[in-house]
C-alpha cells in the first residue's frame, strides 16, 4: 500500500484507540500516510499550512478493523468473490486489514500462492490483505506445509480454513513446528463424525424443524484435544470461532493455566441465534451452527471478561445456486465484511458490550495476536482507520453489497451505525 | 601400541552404551584408541593380542560401514572374525533374537558385536550369552563406539573435550548417535547444544544436559564442534519436517550458517550423508570437515574397545 502524500486533519471526533486505552474528543493528524498525532493533545498542535481539514463532529474515529477470518474465491472461485471485491466490501465496512483463508483452489499451501495473493492484493485491493497459509498440504490433514518458508514469504498464520484436522499426531507436530517459527495455529473445530449429517444446532428447535442436529460436543471434543496439545507443545493456538458456552469455559481454563491460547467468535454467533433460522432460511446456515440464546449470552459474557479475544466476520461468499436450496442441502456460510461493524454496534446499543471493547476485539487484539502493524492509532503507525456514525439507522439491502455474493444473514435487517469513511495508509478508500 | 598392562584395567564386561561409563573409563578407551591409530597407519597393521579369539558381528540392520570397521578392527588385532548379516541368518525364518543368541553362544565366541533396530536388543543379548558384547547401535538408544570415535576425533584436534561447545544438529529424536554423544560429552565436561526443529527433539531434551536451539544459526553460534545428523528419508515428507527444501534452507549446514561458529570449528557427520539435505557439499568436503577422519578413528576406537574388554589380566574364561 503506497502511503498517501500530504497532511489531513480530522477534527472534533471522538477518538477510541483501545491500543492505548484512549476514548476522548480530539484530533487525528495524518501526514504522508502515517498517523502524526492523535487524541485530545493533538488539538493544540495547530493545522499545518496546506493541510486538508475534515470536520468529524458527532463521529467516532477508531483503528481500522482487522478481520481475521475472510474466505475469498480467488484463486479458483472468482465468481463468488475476488480479492478486489472483498477489499471493496471490507472498505465499505470499516475494515482496513483482512486475513485471507487458504481454502481457495488451489489451496494456499505453497510459497508461490502466498506471493500470488500478495501481488494480486497489491495490484487490485484497496485494503491490506494478509494471507493465511494451510497447515497441511492441500488441506489434506496429513502432511505439514513448509511453514518456515511460507512464513518468510508473508503468511501471517496457519489454518485449515473450514476444516478440522482429525489426526491428533498431525496437529501436535504442526503446533510444535509452528512454534519454532513463532506462528499461530488457527483452528476451527468440528468433529466430522459426531456432526455427521447435522445441519443446525441440536435441540428442540432442530427437532421441531425436522432437521438433523449438531451437538455442541462436536465442537468441544476437538477443541479440548487442541487445548491439551497446546499445553503439550507450548504452541500458540487460536480457536477460530467458538460458538457455545462450554467452549468459552474451556478457553478460560486454558488461559488460567497459562497456555498461549486465544479465541475468536464470528459476528454471527454474537448477534444471532438458532431461532433466526425461522422457516428454513438458508442464509442462517453456518458452521458451527447458530446456537441457543443461552450460548450467545455466554459468548457475550466471555467477550466482556476477555475470555474471547477477537471478533471476525467469517466472511464466506456463496452464490445463489449453492444457498437457495433446501436447508439441509445448502452451503454453510454468510458474507460479513460489510456488516460486521453495524452488527457489532447492536451490542453497543443494547448495552451488552461497551464500544471500546467491541473495537478492541475487531481491531487491536487480532492485529496484536498476529503481529500486524495495525489496530492502533498510535503516532507513527500506518494511517488505517474508520470514521463511524454510530447512530445512523438504516435497513440493509443485500443487493447494494459490494461483495460479488449476496448471501448475508442481515438482509432487510434494521441496523444502527456504520462506517462513513475508511482510510488506508492515508487514502480514503470508502466514503458514504 | 603399548601393552595393555600400561593402561588401567577396564572395569566393564560389555560395551552396551556410554551411559554407565565414567570419566576415567572414557579417557582410558580414548588413550588406547590413540595408540591404535598409530598401528593402523603402519605398513604392518596386525597385532596378535586377540589371536585365537573369535569375534562374531551380528548385524540385524544393514550397515556396510560399521560392520567393515568392526571387522577390520578385529582382524588387525588377530581375531577370527565372522559376519552374520540378517539376509543370511535364520532370523528371517522366524528365529527370535534370543534363539539366535543361544545358537551363537554355543559356538563359544569371545566377542559379539550386535547392531539391531530395537532399543535394548544389545542388553538383552548380553544377559543371554557368555562373552563380551559390543553394542553397534540399538534402535534410537545408543551407539557407543560412534560417540567414542567422535570424541577421539575432537580430542585429537582440540587437545581436550572439557569446556568445548558442541552443537549436535538435526534429527535428535531418532538418533542413537546423538544420545551416546550427549552422554559422553556431558561426562567429559563439554557444553552440548541440541539444534533442530522441535518436531525432531525428544521429550526432556533439556534434562538430558543440553541446551535446545530452534534456529541453526543460534545453535552453532560460537561452537567449537558442529555434528550434523542424518535425516532419514522417511522423515522428510510432511511428518516431522515439511520438505527437503525447507529443511535444507533452515537446518542444512552451508557456508553462511557455518560462519556463525568459531572459525576453527570442526564439522562432523556420522555418515552416510545426505548432501543437500542436512549438509551442503561445499561444507562436507571443505577444510573444516573431519568426516573422513571420523571413519579412520572408527577402526581405532573399535580396536581399543575390543582390546580393553578382552584384557588378558582379567583372565576371563567363557562362561558356559
Amino acid at each position: 500500500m503506497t502511503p498517501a502524500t500530504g497532511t489531513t486533519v480530522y477534527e472534533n471526533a471522538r477518538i477510541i484507540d483501545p491500543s492505548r486505552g484512549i476514548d476522548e474528543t480530539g484530533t487525528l493528524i495524518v501526514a504522508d500516510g502515517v498517523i502524526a498525532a492523535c487524541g485530545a493533545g493533538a488539538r493544540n498542535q495547530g493545522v499545518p499550512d496546506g493541510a486538508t481539514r475534515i470536520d468529524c463532529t458527532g463521529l467516532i474515529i477508531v483503528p481500522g478493523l482487522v478481520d481475521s477470518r475472510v474466505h475469498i474465491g480467488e484463486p479458483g472461485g472468482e465468481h463468488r468473490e475476488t480479492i478486489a471485491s472483498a477489499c471493496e466490501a471490507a472498505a465499505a465496512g470499516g475494515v482496513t486489514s483482512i486475513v485471507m483463508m487458504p481454502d481457495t483452489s488451489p489451496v494456499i499451501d505453497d510459497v508461490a500462492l502466498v506471493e500470488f495473493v500478495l501481488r494480486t492484493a497489491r495490484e487490485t485491493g484497496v485494503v491490506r490483505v494478509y494471507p493465511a497459509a494451510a497447515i497441511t498440504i492441500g488441506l489434506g490433514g496429513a502432511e505439514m506445509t513448509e511453514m518456515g518458508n511460507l512464513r518468510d514469504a508473508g503468511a501471517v498464520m496457519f489454518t485449515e480454513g473450514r476444516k478440522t484436522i482429525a489426526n491428533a499426531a498431525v496437529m501436535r507436530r504442526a503446533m510444535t513446528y509452528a512454534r519454532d517459527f513463532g506462528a499461530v495455529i488457527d483452528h476451527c473445530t468440528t468433529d466430522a463424525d459426531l456432526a455427521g449429517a447435522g445441519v443446525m444446532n441440536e435441540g428442540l428447535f432442530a427437532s421441531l424443524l425436522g432437521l438433523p442436529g449438531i451437538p455442541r460436543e462436536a465442537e468441544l471434543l476437538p477443541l479440548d484435544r487442541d487445548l491439551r496439545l497446546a499445553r503439550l507443545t507450548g504452541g500458540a493456538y487460536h480457536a477460530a470461532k467458538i460458538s457455545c458456552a462450554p467452549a468459552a469455559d474451556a478457553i478460560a481454563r486454558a488461559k488460567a493455566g497459562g497456555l498461549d491460547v486465544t479465541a475468536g467468535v464470528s459476528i454471527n454467533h454474537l448477534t444471532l441465534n438458532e431461532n433466526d433460522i425461522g422457516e428454513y432460511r438458508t442464509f442462517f446456515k453456518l458452521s458451527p451452527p447458530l446456537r441457543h440464546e443461552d450460548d450467545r449470552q455466554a459468548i457475550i459474557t466471555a467477550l466482556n471478561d476477555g475470555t474471547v479475544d477477537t471478533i471476525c466476520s467469517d466472511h464466506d461468499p456463496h452464490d445463489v445456486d449453492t444457498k437457495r436450496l433446501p436447508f439441509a442441502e445448502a452451503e454453510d456460510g454468510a458474507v460479513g465484511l460489510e456488516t460486521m461493524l453495524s452488527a457489532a454496534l447492536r451490542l453497543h446499543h443494547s448495552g451488552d458490550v461497551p464500544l471500546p471493547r467491541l473495537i478492541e476485539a475487531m481491531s487491536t487484539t487480532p492485529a496484536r495476536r498476529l503481529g500486524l502493524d495495525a489496530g492502533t492509532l498510535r503516532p507513527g503507525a500506518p494511517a488505517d482507520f474508520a470514521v463511524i456514525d454510530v447512530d445512523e439507522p438504516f435497513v440493509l439491502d443485500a443487493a447494494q453489497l459490494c461483495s460479488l455474493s449476496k448471501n448475508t444473514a442481515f438482509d432487510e435487517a434494521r441496523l444502527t451505525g456504520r462506517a462513513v469513511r475508511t482510510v488506508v495508509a492515508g487514502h480514503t478508500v470508502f466514503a458514504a | 601400541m603399548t601393552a595393555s598392562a600400561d593402561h588401567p584395567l577396564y572395569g566393564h564386561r560389555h560395551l552396551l552404551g556410554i551411559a554407565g561409563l565414567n570419566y576415567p573409563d572414557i579417557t582410558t578407551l580414548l588413550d588406547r584408541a590413540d595408540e591404535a591409530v598409530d598401528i593402523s597407519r603402519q605398513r604392518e597393521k596386525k597385532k596378535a593380542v586377540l589371536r585365537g579369539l573369535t569375534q562374531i558381528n551380528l548385524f540385524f540392520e544393514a550397515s556396510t560401514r560399521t560392520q567393515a570397521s568392526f571387522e577390520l578392527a578385529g582382524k588387525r588385532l588377530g581375531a577370527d572374525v565372522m559376519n552374520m548379516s540378517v539376509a543370511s541368518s535364520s532370523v528371517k525364518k522366524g528365529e527370535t533374537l534370543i534363539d539366535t543368541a543361544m545358537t551363537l553362544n554355543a559356538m563359544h565366541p569371545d566377542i559379539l558385536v550386535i547392531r539391531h533396530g530395537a532399543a535394548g536388543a544389545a542388553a538383552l543379548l548380553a544377559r543371554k550369552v557368555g562373552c563380551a558384547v559390543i553394542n553397534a547401535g540399538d534402535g534410537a538408544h545408543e551407539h557407543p563406539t560412534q560417540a567414542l570415535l567422535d570424541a577421539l576425533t575432537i580430542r585429537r584436534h582440540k587437545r581436550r573435550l572439557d569446556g568445548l561447545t558442541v552443537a549436535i544438529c538435526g534429527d535428535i529424536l531418532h538418533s542413537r548417535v546423538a544420545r551416546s554423544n550427549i552422554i559422553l560429552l556431558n561426562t567429559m565436561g563439554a557444553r552440548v547444544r541440541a539444534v533442530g526443529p522441535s518436531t525432531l527433539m525428544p521429550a526432556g531434551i533439556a534434562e538430558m544436559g543440553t541446551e535446545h536451539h530452534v534456529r541453526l544459526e543460534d545453535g552453532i553460534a560460537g561452537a567449537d564442534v558442529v555434528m550434523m545428523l542424518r535425516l532419514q528419508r522417511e522423515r522428510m515428507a510432511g511428518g516431522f519436517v515439511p520438505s527437503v527444501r525447507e529443511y535444507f534452507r533452515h537446518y542444512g549446514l552451508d557456508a553462511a550458517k557455518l560462519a556463525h561458529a568459531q572459525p576453527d570449528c570442526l564439522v562432523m557427520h556420522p555418515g552416510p550423508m545426505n548432501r543437500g539435505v542436512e549438509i551442503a557439499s561445499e561444507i562436507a568436503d571443505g577444510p573444516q570437515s573431519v568426516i573422513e577422519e571420523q571413519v579412520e578413528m572408527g577402526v581405532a576406537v573399535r580396536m581399543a574397545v575390543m582390546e580393553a574388554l578382552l584384557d588378558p589380566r582379567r583372565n576371563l574364561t567363557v562362561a558356559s
Side-chain angles (χ1 to χ4, degrees):
Chain A
M1 203 64 56
T2 315
T5 52
T7 302
T8 309
V9 180
Y10 297 83
E11 298 174 301
N12 306 318
R14 175 182 167 195
I15 291 172
I16 298 176
D17 180 5
S19 77
R20 296 182 295 156
I22 285 177
D23 183 358
E24 61 198 20
T25 303
T27 296
L28 175 69
I29 303 175
V30 176
D32 297 334
V34 172
I35 292 171
C38 170
R43 285 196 288 190
N44 307 324
Q45 295 201 357
V47 178
D49 290 339
T52 310
R53 302 174 68 151
I54 297 175
D55 182 42
C56 296
T57 303
L59 302 175
I60 301 176
I61 295 181
V62 301
L65 305 189
V66 178
D67 192 341
S68 55
R69 197 169 185 85
V70 178
H71 298 274
I72 295 178
E74 186 173 1
E78 286 84 351
H79 61 291
R80 293 190 286 116
E81 195 83 287
T82 62
I83 289 173
S85 67
C87 287
E88 294 291 338
V95 176
T96 56
S97 296
I98 61 184
V99 177
M100 176 176 158
M101 291 290 105
D103 41 7
T104 48
S105 178
V107 170
I108 299 170
D109 59 4
D110 189 272
V111 167
L113 286 147
V114 169
E115 287 167 351
F116 164 81
V117 169
L118 290 171
R119 188 173 62 246
T120 306
R122 201 162 51 235
E123 289 169 1
T124 68
V126 296
V127 305
R128 298 178 202 271
V129 178
Y130 295 96
I135 299 170
T136 64
I137 303 280
L139 304 176
E143 293 173 21
M144 253 192 292
T145 56
E146 296 174 322
M147 293 189 193
N149 292 348
L150 288 162
R151 188 114 173 96
D152 289 349
V156 296
M157 68 177 192
F158 295 91
T159 176
E160 292 288 87
R162 304 168 177 88
K163 290 183 126 180
T164 303
I165 292 177
N167 184 322
V170 170
M171 192 64 185
R172 179 215 181 153
R173 291 209 194 103
M175 288 169 80
T176 303
Y177 196 77
R179 189 196 64 188
D180 286 355
F181 293 95
V184 175
I185 293 282
D186 165 288
H187 207 210
C188 174
T189 56
T190 305
D191 184 306
D193 295 316
L194 193 53
V199 296
M200 69 172 289
N201 187 41
E202 185 169 287
L204 172 64
F205 196 55
S207 300
L208 291 174
L209 288 176
L211 290 172
I214 300 172
R216 299 187 295 183
E217 283 67 18
E219 176 180 338
L220 296 167
L221 290 178
L223 177 64
D224 283 335
R225 177 203 70 178
D226 286 358
L227 295 175
R228 286 179 193 280
L229 292 176
R231 175 177 295 286
L232 176 65
T233 62
Y237 179 82
H238 181 70
K241 37 176 182 171
I242 63 169
S243 72
C244 58
D249 294 341
I251 297 292
R253 277 197 305 277
K255 287 184 169 185
L259 306 189
D260 188 0
V261 165
T262 49
V265 61
S266 93
I267 189 64
N268 303 312
H269 292 88
L270 267 180
T271 54
L272 305 169
N273 66 29
E274 60 182 349
N275 299 324
D276 287 298
I277 290 169
E279 289 291 314
Y280 307 96
R281 296 167 67 190
T282 58
F283 286 14
F284 293 85
K285 182 164 186 278
L286 305 172
S287 176
L290 290 171
R291 302 287 188 188
H292 194 271
E293 175 63 10
D294 291 347
D295 289 306
R296 189 182 79 90
Q297 290 297 337
I299 297 286
I300 289 172
T301 303
L303 176 64
N304 277 323
D305 70 20
T307 300
V308 166
D309 303 88
T310 65
I311 302 170
C312 62
S313 73
D314 197 22
H315 183 80
D316 196 357
H318 289 285
D319 53 33
V320 171
D321 292 354
T322 57
K323 277 309 243 187
R324 294 256 185 247
L325 290 171
F327 195 87
E329 295 167 24
E331 286 283 347
D332 295 329
V335 293
L337 272 167
E338 290 170 82
T339 49
M340 175 167 69
L341 175 62
S342 298
L345 288 172
R346 277 186 172 176
L347 300 170
H348 157 66
H349 292 299
S350 66
D352 282 321
V353 186
L355 184 56
R357 175 66 191 140
L358 289 169
I359 300 302
E360 181 178 38
M362 287 189 288
S363 176
T364 307
T365 321
R368 193 179 288 146
R369 181 56 163 161
L370 299 179
L372 311 180
D373 190 11
T376 177
L377 298 175
R378 159 182 53 76
D384 295 1
F385 58 92
V387 185
I388 303 174
D389 181 345
V390 284
D391 295 318
E392 184 195 336
F394 67 103
V395 176
L396 189 88
D397 177 2
Q400 299 299 313
L401 292 174
C402 299
S403 274
L404 296 182
S405 296
K406 315 295 182 189
N407 56 311
T408 173
F410 294 94
D411 192 19
E412 295 175 17
R414 291 165 199 283
L415 296 164
T416 306
R418 66 200 304 180
V420 296
R421 181 189 289 267
T422 304
V423 177
V424 177
H427 298 283
T428 295
V429 294
F430 167 80
Chain B
M1 194 176 189
T2 48
S4 271
D6 295 350
H7 293 286
L9 189 64
Y10 183 74
H12 302 275
R13 180 156 186 221
H14 308 291
L15 179 67
L16 301 178
I18 298 296
L21 302 191
N22 57 23
Y23 189 101
D25 291 336
I26 293 166
T27 305
T28 299
L29 291 174
L30 296 181
D31 290 348
R32 281 177 176 268
D34 256 330
E35 292 165 9
V37 173
D38 297 335
I39 294 174
S40 291
R41 286 179 180 176
Q42 293 166 9
R43 181 180 155 80
E44 169 58 57
K45 299 183 179 63
K46 198 138 176 168
K47 285 183 68 184
V49 295
L50 299 190
R51 193 171 59 197
L53 302 184
T54 303
Q55 171 192 345
I56 298 180
N57 294 335
L58 183 56
F59 275 61
F60 292 91
E61 276 184 350
S63 170
T64 316
R65 309 155 58 101
T66 307
Q67 185 169 324
S69 184
F70 271 105
E71 182 176 352
L72 211 49
K75 285 180 170 168
R76 284 183 181 167
L77 294 175
D80 295 316
V81 183
M82 189 182 97
N83 288 317
M84 275 193 64
S85 59
V86 66
S88 58
S89 82
S90 47
V91 171
K92 287 206 165 158
K93 297 174 193 161
E95 191 174 72
T96 66
L97 173 64
I98 289 177
D99 288 341
T100 307
M102 296 316 290
T103 305
L104 293 173
N105 197 42
M107 299 173 187
H108 296 289
D110 300 283
I111 193 155
L112 260 177
V113 178
I114 178 177
R115 156 74 60 95
H116 198 283
L124 178 64
L125 196 72
R127 284 200 294 274
K128 295 290 174 187
V129 298
C131 64
V133 173
I134 299 178
N135 181 3
D138 63 328
H141 176 225
E142 282 230 46
H143 190 355
T145 56
Q146 178 71 43
L148 287 165
L149 76 87
D150 289 340
L152 182 64
T153 309
I154 298 169
R155 200 178 74 164
R156 287 170 70 94
H157 279 270
K158 303 286 185 188
R159 316 310 317 166
R160 66 193 170 109
L161 292 168
D162 58 296
L164 295 178
T165 299
V166 182
I168 304 177
C169 310
D171 185 2
I172 292 174
L173 179 62
H174 302 99
S175 175
R176 53 191 169 219
V177 174
R179 280 172 181 72
S180 289
N181 264 309
I182 289 168
I183 299 167
L184 185 146
L185 291 165
N186 270 301
T187 305
M188 303 308 282
R191 280 191 300 274
V192 186
R193 296 180 187 158
V195 186
S198 300
T199 45
L200 294 177
M201 290 295 140
I205 184 73
E207 288 97 307
M208 289 168 80
T210 69
E211 208 179 283
H212 177 208
H213 289 268
V214 163
R215 290 185 69 240
L216 187 62
E217 290 86 339
D218 300 340
I220 67 177
D224 300 297
V225 178
V226 175
M227 291 182 179
M228 303 308 296
L229 299 174
R230 176 180 171 80
L231 183 68
Q232 302 284 353
R233 294 231 160 254
E234 61 269 26
R235 324 259 194 244
M236 293 176 195
F240 294 88
V241 295
S243 68
V244 168
R245 90 178 160 174
E246 170 144 319
Y247 189 79
F248 183 71
R249 179 152 172 246
H250 295 275
Y251 298 103
L253 188 64
D254 57 16
K257 297 197 191 88
L258 185 56
H260 290 80
Q262 294 286 359
D264 61 348
C265 175
L266 300 180
V267 174
M268 307 177 76
H269 194 298
M273 284 181 279
N274 288 308
R275 290 167 185 264
V277 179
E278 68 263 1
I279 191 164
S281 277
E282 53 170 348
I283 299 302
D285 306 328
Q288 289 171 258
S289 166
V290 292
I291 295 169
E292 274 180 40
E293 199 180 323
Q294 287 174 270
V295 178
E296 184 191 359
M297 294 307 122
V299 178
V301 152
R302 284 153 190 146
M303 289 170 72
V305 167
M306 286 194 271
E307 210 183 359
L309 290 175
L310 299 175
D311 193 319
R313 286 174 291 169
R314 274 206 251 185
N315 195 23
L316 279 176
T317 50
V318 174
S320 51

